[in-house]
Coordinates of all heavy atoms in Angstrom, one line a residue:
M292 N -36.0 -44.0 -2.4 CA -35.1 -42.9 -1.8 C -34.1 -42.6 -2.7 O -33.5 -43.3 -3.4 CB -34.6 -43.3 -0.5 CG -35.5 -43.8 0.5 SD -34.7 -44.0 2.1 CE -35.0 -42.7 3.0
T293 N -33.9 -41.2 -2.7 CA -32.8 -40.7 -3.4 C -31.6 -40.4 -2.7 O -31.6 -40.1 -1.4 CB -33.2 -39.3 -4.0 OG1 -33.5 -38.4 -3.1 CG2 -34.5 -39.5 -4.9
T294 N -30.5 -40.5 -3.1 CA -29.2 -40.3 -2.4 C -28.8 -38.9 -2.6 O -29.0 -38.4 -3.7 CB -28.0 -41.2 -3.0 OG1 -27.9 -41.0 -4.4 CG2 -28.4 -42.7 -2.9
P295 N -28.2 -38.4 -1.4 CA -27.9 -36.9 -1.5 C -26.7 -36.8 -2.5 O -25.9 -37.6 -2.8 CB -27.5 -36.5 -0.2 CG -27.2 -37.9 0.5 CD -28.0 -38.9 -0.2
D296 N -26.7 -35.6 -3.1 CA -25.6 -35.2 -4.1 C -24.2 -35.3 -3.3 O -24.2 -34.8 -2.2 CB -25.8 -33.9 -4.8 CG -27.0 -34.0 -5.8 OD1 -27.2 -35.1 -6.2 OD2 -27.6 -32.9 -6.0
P297 N -23.2 -35.7 -3.9 CA -21.9 -35.7 -3.2 C -21.5 -34.2 -3.2 O -21.7 -33.4 -4.1 CB -21.0 -36.6 -4.0 CG -21.7 -36.6 -5.4 CD -23.1 -36.5 -5.1
L298 N -20.7 -33.9 -2.3 CA -20.1 -32.6 -2.1 C -19.1 -32.4 -3.3 O -18.5 -33.2 -3.7 CB -19.4 -32.2 -0.8 CG -20.3 -32.4 0.4 CD1 -19.4 -32.2 1.7 CD2 -21.4 -31.2 0.4
P299 N -19.2 -31.1 -3.9 CA -18.2 -30.8 -4.9 C -16.7 -30.9 -4.4 O -16.5 -30.7 -3.2 CB -18.6 -29.5 -5.5 CG -19.3 -28.8 -4.3 CD -19.9 -29.9 -3.5
P300 N -15.9 -31.2 -5.2 CA -14.5 -31.2 -4.8 C -14.0 -29.8 -4.3 O -14.4 -28.9 -4.9 CB -13.7 -31.7 -5.9 CG -14.5 -31.5 -7.2 CD -15.9 -31.5 -6.7
T301 N -13.4 -29.8 -3.2 CA -12.9 -28.5 -2.7 C -11.5 -28.1 -3.5 O -10.8 -29.0 -3.7 CB -12.6 -28.6 -1.3 OG1 -11.6 -29.6 -0.9 CG2 -13.8 -28.8 -0.5
T302 N -11.5 -26.8 -3.6 CA -10.2 -26.4 -4.2 C -9.3 -25.9 -3.1 O -9.7 -25.3 -2.0 CB -10.4 -25.1 -5.2 OG1 -11.1 -24.1 -4.5 CG2 -11.3 -25.6 -6.3
D303 N -8.0 -26.0 -3.4 CA -7.1 -25.5 -2.2 C -7.0 -23.9 -2.4 O -6.7 -23.4 -3.4 CB -5.7 -26.1 -2.5 CG -5.6 -27.6 -2.3 OD1 -6.4 -28.0 -1.5 OD2 -4.8 -28.3 -2.8
A304 N -7.3 -23.4 -1.3 CA -7.2 -21.9 -1.2 C -5.8 -21.5 -1.0 O -5.0 -22.2 -0.2 CB -8.1 -21.4 -0.1
T305 N -5.3 -20.4 -1.8 CA -3.9 -19.9 -1.6 C -3.9 -19.2 -0.3 O -4.8 -18.6 0.1 CB -3.5 -19.0 -2.7 OG1 -4.5 -17.9 -2.8 CG2 -3.5 -19.8 -4.1
P306 N -2.8 -19.4 0.4 CA -2.7 -18.9 1.8 C -2.5 -17.3 1.7 O -2.0 -16.8 0.7 CB -1.5 -19.5 2.4 CG -0.7 -19.9 1.2 CD -1.6 -20.3 0.1
A307 N -3.0 -16.7 2.7 CA -2.9 -15.2 2.7 C -1.4 -14.9 2.8 O -0.7 -15.5 3.6 CB -3.7 -14.5 3.8
N308 N -1.1 -13.8 2.1 CA 0.3 -13.3 2.1 C 0.3 -12.1 3.1 O -0.2 -11.1 2.8 CB 0.6 -13.0 0.7 CG 2.2 -12.7 0.6 OD1 2.9 -12.4 1.6 ND2 2.7 -12.7 -0.6
G309 N 1.0 -12.3 4.2 CA 1.1 -11.1 5.2 C 1.9 -9.9 4.8 O 1.5 -8.9 5.1
L310 N 2.8 -10.1 3.8 CA 3.6 -9.1 3.3 C 2.7 -8.2 2.4 O 2.8 -7.0 2.3 CB 4.9 -9.6 2.6 CG 5.9 -10.3 3.4 CD1 7.0 -10.7 2.4 CD2 6.5 -9.3 4.3
A311 N 1.9 -9.0 1.6 CA 0.9 -8.2 0.8 C -0.1 -7.4 1.6 O -0.4 -6.2 1.1 CB 0.2 -9.1 -0.1
I312 N -0.7 -8.0 2.6 CA -1.6 -7.2 3.5 C -0.9 -6.1 4.1 O -1.4 -5.0 4.2 CB -2.2 -8.2 4.5 CG1 -3.0 -9.3 3.8 CG2 -3.0 -7.4 5.5 CD1 -3.4 -10.4 4.6
G313 N 0.3 -6.3 4.6 CA 1.1 -5.2 5.2 C 1.3 -4.0 4.2 O 1.2 -2.8 4.5
S314 N 1.7 -4.5 3.1 CA 2.0 -3.4 2.0 C 0.6 -2.6 1.7 O 0.7 -1.4 1.5 CB 2.4 -4.1 0.7 OG 2.6 -3.2 -0.4
L315 N -0.4 -3.3 1.6 CA -1.6 -2.5 1.3 C -2.0 -1.6 2.5 O -2.4 -0.5 2.3 CB -2.8 -3.5 1.1 CG -4.2 -2.9 0.7 CD1 -4.0 -2.0 -0.5 CD2 -5.2 -4.0 0.5
V316 N -1.9 -2.1 3.7 CA -2.3 -1.3 4.8 C -1.3 0.1 4.9 O -1.8 1.1 5.2 CB -2.2 -2.0 6.2 CG1 -2.2 -1.2 7.4 CG2 -3.3 -3.1 6.2
L317 N 0.0 -0.3 4.8 CA 0.9 0.8 4.7 C 0.7 1.8 3.7 O 0.9 3.1 3.7 CB 2.3 0.4 4.7 CG 2.8 -0.3 6.0 CD1 4.2 -0.9 5.8 CD2 2.8 0.6 7.1
G318 N 0.2 1.3 2.4 CA 0.0 2.1 1.3 C -1.3 3.1 1.5 O -1.2 4.2 1.2
I319 N -2.3 2.6 2.2 CA -3.4 3.3 2.5 C -3.1 4.3 3.6 O -3.6 5.4 3.5 CB -4.6 2.4 3.1 CG1 -5.1 1.4 1.9 CG2 -5.7 3.2 3.7 CD1 -6.0 0.3 2.2
L320 N -2.3 3.9 4.5 CA -1.9 4.9 5.6 C -1.0 6.0 5.0 O -1.1 7.2 5.4 CB -1.0 4.1 6.6 CG -1.8 3.3 7.8 CD1 -0.9 2.6 8.6 CD2 -2.7 4.3 8.5
S321 N -0.1 5.8 4.0 CA 0.6 6.8 3.3 C -0.2 7.9 2.7 O 0.0 8.9 2.7 CB 1.6 6.2 2.4 OG 1.0 5.6 1.3
I322 N -1.3 7.3 2.1 CA -2.2 8.2 1.4 C -3.0 9.1 2.4 O -3.1 10.3 2.3 CB -3.1 7.5 0.5 CG1 -2.5 6.8 -0.6 CG2 -4.4 8.4 0.1 CD1 -3.3 5.9 -1.5
V323 N -3.5 8.4 3.5 CA -4.2 9.3 4.5 C -3.3 10.3 5.3 O -3.6 11.3 5.6 CB -4.9 8.3 5.5 CG1 -5.4 9.0 6.6 CG2 -6.0 7.4 4.7
N324 N -2.1 9.8 5.5 CA -1.2 10.6 6.3 C -0.6 11.8 5.4 O -0.3 12.9 6.2 CB 0.1 9.8 6.7 CG 0.0 9.0 7.9 OD1 -1.0 9.2 8.6 ND2 0.8 8.1 8.1
T325 N -0.8 11.8 4.2 CA -0.4 13.0 3.5 C -1.4 14.2 3.7 O -1.0 15.3 3.9 CB -0.4 12.7 1.9 OG1 0.4 11.7 1.8 CG2 0.1 13.9 1.2
I326 N -2.7 13.8 4.1 CA -3.7 14.9 4.4 C -3.5 15.5 5.7 O -3.9 16.6 5.9 CB -5.1 14.2 4.1 CG1 -5.1 13.7 2.8 CG2 -6.1 15.2 4.4 CD1 -6.4 12.8 2.5
I327 N -3.1 14.6 6.6 CA -3.0 15.0 8.1 C -1.6 15.9 8.3 O -0.5 15.3 8.0 CB -3.0 13.8 9.0 CG1 -4.3 13.1 8.8 CG2 -3.0 14.3 10.4 CD1 -4.3 11.7 9.5
P328 N -1.8 17.1 8.8 CA -0.6 18.1 8.8 C 0.6 17.6 9.6 O 1.7 17.6 9.1 CB -1.2 19.3 9.4 CG -2.6 19.3 9.3 CD -3.0 17.8 9.2
V329 N 0.5 17.0 10.8 CA 1.7 16.6 11.6 C 2.2 15.4 11.1 O 3.4 15.2 11.0 CB 1.2 16.6 13.0 CG1 2.5 16.1 13.9 CG2 0.9 18.0 13.5
S330 N 1.4 14.3 10.7 CA 1.9 13.0 10.4 C 2.3 12.8 9.1 O 2.9 11.9 8.6 CB 0.7 12.0 10.8 OG -0.3 12.2 9.8
N331 N 2.2 13.9 8.3 CA 2.6 13.9 6.9 C 4.3 13.8 6.8 O 4.8 13.7 5.8 CB 2.2 14.9 6.0 CG 2.5 16.3 6.3 OD1 3.3 16.5 7.2 ND2 1.8 17.2 5.7
L332 N 4.9 14.2 7.9 CA 6.3 14.1 8.0 C 6.8 12.7 7.9 O 8.1 12.5 7.4 CB 6.8 14.7 9.2 CG 6.5 16.2 9.4 CD1 6.8 16.7 10.8 CD2 7.1 17.1 8.3
I333 N 6.1 11.7 8.3 CA 6.5 10.3 8.2 C 5.9 9.5 7.0 O 6.2 8.3 6.9 CB 6.2 9.5 9.4 CG1 4.7 9.5 9.7 CG2 7.0 10.1 10.6 CD1 4.4 8.5 10.8
T334 N 5.2 10.2 6.1 CA 4.5 9.6 5.0 C 5.5 8.9 4.2 O 5.4 7.8 3.7 CB 3.8 10.7 4.2 OG1 2.7 11.1 5.1 CG2 3.1 10.0 3.0
W335 N 6.6 9.5 3.8 CA 7.6 8.9 2.9 C 8.2 7.7 3.4 O 8.4 6.7 2.7 CB 8.7 9.9 2.5 CG 9.6 10.2 3.6 CD1 9.4 11.3 4.5 CD2 10.8 9.8 3.8 NE1 10.4 11.4 5.4 CE2 11.4 10.5 5.0 CE3 11.6 8.8 3.3 CZ2 12.6 10.1 5.5 CZ3 12.9 8.4 3.9 CH2 13.3 9.2 4.9
V336 N 8.3 7.5 4.8 CA 8.9 6.3 5.3 C 7.9 5.3 5.2 O 8.2 4.1 4.9 CB 9.2 6.6 6.8 CG1 9.7 5.3 7.5 CG2 10.3 7.6 6.9
V337 N 6.6 5.6 5.6 CA 5.5 4.5 5.4 C 5.5 4.0 4.0 O 5.3 2.8 3.8 CB 4.3 5.2 6.0 CG1 3.1 4.2 5.9 CG2 4.5 5.4 7.5
A338 N 5.4 5.0 3.1 CA 5.3 4.7 1.6 C 6.4 3.7 1.2 O 6.2 2.9 0.5 CB 5.1 5.9 0.9
L339 N 7.6 4.2 1.6 CA 8.8 3.4 1.1 C 8.8 1.9 1.6 O 9.1 0.9 0.9 CB 10.1 4.0 1.5 CG 10.5 5.2 0.6 CD1 11.7 5.9 1.2 CD2 10.6 4.9 -0.9
I340 N 8.4 1.8 3.0 CA 8.3 0.5 3.6 C 7.2 -0.4 2.8 O 7.3 -1.6 2.6 CB 8.0 0.7 5.1 CG1 9.3 1.1 5.7 CG2 7.7 -0.9 5.6 CD1 9.0 1.5 7.2
G341 N 6.0 0.3 2.5 CA 4.9 -0.2 1.8 C 5.4 -0.8 0.4 O 5.0 -2.0 0.0
L342 N 6.2 0.0 -0.3 CA 6.7 -0.4 -1.7 C 7.5 -1.6 -1.4 O 7.5 -2.5 -2.2 CB 7.4 0.8 -2.2 CG 6.6 1.8 -2.9 CD1 7.4 2.9 -3.3 CD2 5.9 1.3 -4.1
V343 N 8.5 -1.6 -0.4 CA 9.4 -2.8 -0.3 C 8.7 -4.1 0.0 O 8.8 -5.1 -0.5 CB 10.4 -2.5 0.7 CG1 11.2 -3.7 1.2 CG2 11.4 -1.3 0.4
L344 N 7.6 -3.9 0.9 CA 6.8 -5.0 1.3 C 6.1 -5.6 0.1 O 5.9 -6.8 -0.1 CB 5.9 -4.7 2.4 CG 6.5 -4.6 3.9 CD1 5.5 -4.2 4.8 CD2 7.2 -5.8 4.2
G345 N 5.5 -4.6 -0.7 CA 4.8 -5.0 -1.9 C 5.6 -5.8 -3.0 O 5.2 -6.8 -3.5
F346 N 6.8 -5.4 -3.2 CA 7.7 -6.0 -4.1 C 8.2 -7.4 -3.5 O 8.3 -8.4 -4.3 CB 8.9 -5.2 -4.6 CG 8.5 -4.1 -5.5 CD1 8.6 -2.8 -5.2 CD2 8.1 -4.5 -6.8 CE1 8.3 -1.7 -6.0 CE2 7.6 -3.4 -7.6 CZ 7.8 -2.1 -7.3
M347 N 8.4 -7.5 -2.2 CA 8.8 -8.8 -1.6 C 7.6 -9.6 -1.7 O 7.8 -11.0 -1.9 CB 9.2 -8.5 -0.1 CG 10.6 -7.9 -0.1 SD 10.9 -7.5 1.7 CE 10.7 -9.0 2.5
A348 N 6.4 -9.3 -1.5 CA 5.2 -10.0 -1.6 C 4.9 -10.6 -2.9 O 4.2 -11.7 -3.0 CB 4.1 -9.3 -1.0
R349 N 5.2 -9.9 -4.0 CA 5.0 -10.4 -5.3 C 5.8 -11.6 -5.7 O 5.5 -12.4 -6.5 CB 5.4 -9.3 -6.3 CG 4.5 -8.2 -6.4 CD 4.1 -7.5 -7.6 NE 3.9 -8.5 -8.7 CZ 4.2 -8.1 -9.9 NH1 4.8 -6.9 -10.1 NH2 4.1 -8.9 -10.9
K350 N 6.9 -11.9 -4.9 CA 7.7 -13.1 -5.2 C 7.3 -14.3 -4.3 O 7.7 -15.4 -4.7 CB 9.1 -12.8 -4.7 CG 9.9 -11.7 -5.5 CD 11.2 -11.4 -4.9 CE 11.9 -10.3 -5.7 NZ 13.2 -9.8 -5.2
K351 N 6.2 -14.2 -3.5 CA 5.8 -15.2 -2.8 C 4.4 -15.6 -3.4 O 3.6 -14.8 -3.9 CB 5.5 -14.9 -1.2 CG 6.8 -14.6 -0.6 CD 6.7 -14.4 0.8 CE 8.0 -14.3 1.4 NZ 8.0 -14.9 2.8
P352 N 4.0 -16.9 -3.2 CA 2.7 -17.4 -3.7 C 1.5 -16.8 -2.9 O 1.7 -16.6 -1.6 CB 2.8 -18.9 -3.5 CG 3.8 -19.2 -2.4 CD 4.7 -18.1 -2.6
G353 N 0.5 -16.5 -3.5 CA -0.8 -16.0 -2.7 C -0.7 -14.5 -2.6 O 0.4 -13.9 -2.3
G354 N -1.8 -13.9 -2.7 CA -1.9 -12.5 -2.5 C -1.3 -11.6 -3.5 O -0.9 -10.5 -3.3
Q355 N -1.3 -11.9 -4.8 CA -0.5 -11.2 -5.9 C -1.3 -10.0 -6.1 O -0.8 -8.9 -6.1 CB -0.5 -12.0 -7.2 CG 0.4 -13.2 -7.1 CD 1.8 -12.8 -6.8 OE1 2.4 -12.0 -7.4 NE2 2.4 -13.4 -5.8
G356 N -2.7 -10.1 -6.0 CA -3.6 -8.8 -6.1 C -3.3 -7.8 -5.0 O -3.3 -6.7 -5.3
L357 N -3.3 -8.3 -3.9 CA -3.1 -7.5 -2.7 C -1.7 -6.8 -2.7 O -1.5 -5.7 -2.4 CB -3.2 -8.2 -1.4 CG -4.5 -8.6 -1.0 CD1 -4.4 -9.5 0.4 CD2 -5.4 -7.4 -0.7
A358 N -0.7 -7.6 -3.3 CA 0.7 -7.0 -3.3 C 0.7 -5.8 -4.4 O 1.3 -4.8 -4.1 CB 1.7 -8.1 -3.8
I359 N 0.1 -6.0 -5.5 CA 0.0 -5.0 -6.6 C -0.8 -3.8 -6.1 O -0.4 -2.7 -6.3 CB -0.6 -5.6 -7.8 CG1 0.4 -6.7 -8.5 CG2 -0.9 -4.5 -8.9 CD1 -0.3 -7.4 -9.6
A360 N -1.9 -4.0 -5.3 CA -2.6 -2.9 -4.8 C -1.8 -2.1 -3.7 O -1.8 -0.9 -3.7 CB -4.0 -3.4 -4.1
G361 N -1.0 -3.0 -2.9 CA -0.1 -2.3 -2.0 C 0.9 -1.4 -2.7 O 1.3 -0.4 -2.1
I362 N 1.5 -1.9 -3.7 CA 2.6 -1.1 -4.4 C 1.9 0.0 -5.0 O 2.5 1.2 -4.9 CB 3.1 -2.1 -5.7 CG1 3.9 -3.1 -5.0 CG2 4.0 -1.2 -6.6 CD1 4.4 -4.2 -6.0
V363 N 0.8 0.0 -5.6 CA 0.1 1.1 -6.2 C -0.3 2.2 -5.2 O -0.1 3.5 -5.4 CB -1.2 0.7 -7.0 CG1 -2.0 1.8 -7.4 CG2 -0.9 -0.1 -8.2
T364 N -0.9 1.7 -4.0 CA -1.3 2.7 -3.0 C 0.0 3.3 -2.4 O 0.0 4.6 -2.0 CB -2.2 2.1 -1.9 OG1 -1.5 0.9 -1.4 CG2 -3.5 1.7 -2.5
S365 N 1.0 2.5 -2.2 CA 2.3 3.2 -1.5 C 2.8 4.2 -2.6 O 3.4 5.1 -2.2 CB 3.3 2.0 -1.3 OG 2.8 1.3 -0.3
A366 N 2.8 3.9 -3.9 CA 3.3 4.8 -4.8 C 2.6 6.0 -4.9 O 3.1 7.1 -5.0 CB 3.4 4.1 -6.2
I367 N 1.2 5.9 -4.9 CA 0.5 7.1 -4.8 C 0.7 8.0 -3.5 O 0.8 9.3 -3.6 CB -1.1 6.7 -4.9 CG1 -1.5 6.2 -6.2 CG2 -2.0 8.0 -4.5 CD1 -2.8 5.5 -6.4
G368 N 0.8 7.3 -2.4 CA 1.2 8.1 -1.2 C 2.5 8.8 -1.2 O 2.6 9.8 -0.9
L369 N 3.6 8.1 -2.0 CA 4.9 8.6 -2.0 C 4.7 9.9 -3.0 O 5.4 10.9 -2.8 CB 5.9 7.6 -2.6 CG 7.3 8.1 -2.6 CD1 7.7 8.5 -1.2 CD2 8.2 6.9 -3.2
L370 N 4.0 9.8 -4.2 CA 3.8 10.8 -5.1 C 3.2 11.9 -4.5 O 3.6 13.2 -4.7 CB 3.0 10.3 -6.3 CG 2.9 11.4 -7.4 CD1 4.2 11.7 -8.1 CD2 2.0 10.8 -8.5
E371 N 2.0 11.7 -3.7 CA 1.5 12.8 -3.0 C 2.4 13.6 -2.1 O 2.3 14.9 -2.0 CB 0.3 12.3 -2.1 CG -1.0 12.0 -2.9 CD -2.0 11.6 -2.0 OE1 -1.8 11.1 -0.8 OE2 -3.2 11.5 -2.4
F372 N 3.3 12.8 -1.4 CA 4.2 13.5 -0.4 C 5.2 14.3 -1.3 O 5.4 15.5 -1.0 CB 4.9 12.5 0.3 CG 5.9 13.1 1.2 CD1 5.5 13.7 2.5 CD2 7.3 13.0 0.9 CE1 6.6 14.3 3.3 CE2 8.2 13.5 1.7 CZ 7.9 14.2 3.0
I373 N 5.5 13.8 -2.4 CA 6.6 14.6 -3.2 C 6.0 15.9 -3.8 O 6.5 17.0 -3.7 CB 7.2 13.8 -4.4 CG1 8.0 12.6 -3.8 CG2 7.8 14.5 -5.4 CD1 8.4 11.5 -4.9
L374 N 4.7 15.8 -4.1 CA 4.0 16.9 -4.7 C 3.7 17.9 -3.5 O 3.8 19.1 -3.8 CB 2.7 16.5 -5.4 CG 2.8 15.8 -6.6 CD1 1.4 15.3 -7.1 CD2 3.4 16.6 -7.7
L375 N 3.5 17.5 -2.4 CA 3.3 18.3 -1.2 C 4.7 19.1 -1.0 O 4.6 20.3 -0.7 CB 2.9 17.5 0.1 CG 2.8 18.2 1.3 CD1 1.6 19.1 1.2 CD2 2.7 17.4 2.4
V376 N 5.8 18.4 -0.9 CA 7.1 19.0 -0.6 C 7.3 20.0 -1.8 O 7.8 21.2 -1.5 CB 8.2 18.0 -0.4 CG1 9.5 18.7 -0.5 CG2 7.9 17.2 0.8
V377 N 7.1 19.6 -3.0 CA 7.4 20.6 -4.1 C 6.5 21.8 -4.0 O 7.0 22.9 -4.2 CB 7.2 19.9 -5.4 CG1 7.2 20.9 -6.6 CG2 8.2 18.8 -5.6
G378 N 5.2 21.6 -3.6 CA 4.3 22.7 -3.5 C 4.7 23.7 -2.3 O 4.6 24.9 -2.4
M379 N 5.1 23.1 -1.2 CA 5.6 23.8 -0.1 C 6.8 24.7 -0.3 O 6.9 25.9 -0.1 CB 5.8 23.1 1.1 CG 4.6 22.4 1.7 SD 3.4 23.7 2.2 CE 3.5 23.3 4.0
V380 N 7.7 24.1 -1.1 CA 8.9 24.8 -1.4 C 8.6 25.9 -2.5 O 9.1 27.0 -2.5 CB 10.0 23.8 -2.2 CG1 11.1 24.6 -2.9 CG2 10.5 22.9 -1.1
A381 N 7.6 25.7 -3.4 CA 7.3 26.7 -4.3 C 6.6 27.9 -3.6 O 6.8 29.1 -3.9 CB 6.4 26.1 -5.4
L382 N 5.8 27.5 -2.7 CA 5.1 28.6 -1.9 C 6.1 29.4 -1.0 O 5.9 30.7 -0.9 CB 4.0 27.9 -0.9 CG 2.8 27.6 -1.5 CD1 1.8 26.9 -0.5 CD2 2.0 28.8 -2.2
M383 N 7.1 28.8 -0.4 CA 8.0 29.5 0.3 C 9.0 30.3 -0.5 O 9.5 31.3 -0.1 CB 8.8 28.5 1.3 CG 7.9 27.8 2.2 SD 8.8 26.6 3.3 CE 9.2 27.8 4.6
A384 N 9.2 29.8 -1.7 CA 10.2 30.6 -2.6 C 9.5 31.9 -3.1 O 10.2 32.8 -3.4 CB 10.5 29.7 -3.8
G385 N 8.2 31.8 -3.1 CA 7.5 33.1 -3.5 C 7.5 34.1 -2.5 O 7.3 35.3 -2.8
H386 N 7.9 33.8 -1.2 CA 7.9 34.9 -0.2 C 9.3 35.7 0.0 O 9.4 36.6 0.8 CB 7.5 34.2 1.1 CG 6.1 33.9 1.1 ND1 5.6 32.5 1.5 CD2 5.0 34.7 1.2 CE1 4.3 32.6 1.5 NE2 3.9 33.8 1.2
Y387 N 10.2 35.1 -0.7 CA 11.6 35.7 -0.6 C 11.8 36.7 -1.6 O 11.6 36.9 -2.7 CB 12.7 34.6 -0.6 CG 12.7 33.8 0.6 CD1 12.3 32.4 0.6 CD2 12.9 34.3 1.8 CE1 12.2 31.7 1.7 CE2 12.9 33.5 2.9 CZ 12.6 32.2 2.9 OH 12.6 31.5 4.1

């Protein structure tokens, strides 16, 4: 009879970082909210909170990739909002 192979040693999984997940979710919401006409008024708030959560999450163990993704998506959402405001101001300035 053959003996079964022993199980390979398990590796300790790093715990999920809730701040990183929150940052990513808020970053995605800030990108989507820029497109929606009424909700784009709160985009800058959502993006700033996402950026803060992302930078806080980078200091904690686990979820470093999610934290960076949250920072990037929040920055993109904030940049979209700034471009939207600049574009609207430029359009309105042309009417005077």
Side-chain angles (χ1 to χ4, degrees):
M292 291 185 106
T293 61
T294 59
D296 292 334
L298 294 174
T301 60
T302 59
D303 292 335
T305 57
N308 190 340
L310 293 175
I312 294 170
S314 173
L315 182 61
V316 168
L317 290 177
I319 293 170
L320 281 176
S321 69
I322 291 173
V323 173
N324 277 345
T325 305
I326 301 167
I327 302 170
V329 175
S330 69
N331 62 8
L332 299 174
I333 62 166
T334 297
W335 67 275
V336 175
V337 173
L339 285 177
I340 293 172
L342 279 173
V343 169
L344 288 178
F346 284 115
M347 286 173 51
R349 290 220 34 220
K350 296 177 183 174
K351 294 192 173 206
Q355 295 299 314
L357 286 175
I359 293 171
I362 291 169
V363 169
T364 54
S365 295
I367 290 171
L369 190 59
L370 182 64
E371 280 182 346
F372 178 75
I373 291 169
L374 290 175
L375 176 75
V376 169
V377 168
M379 293 298 250
V380 168
L382 282 174
M383 294 181 91
H386 286 121
Y387 291 113

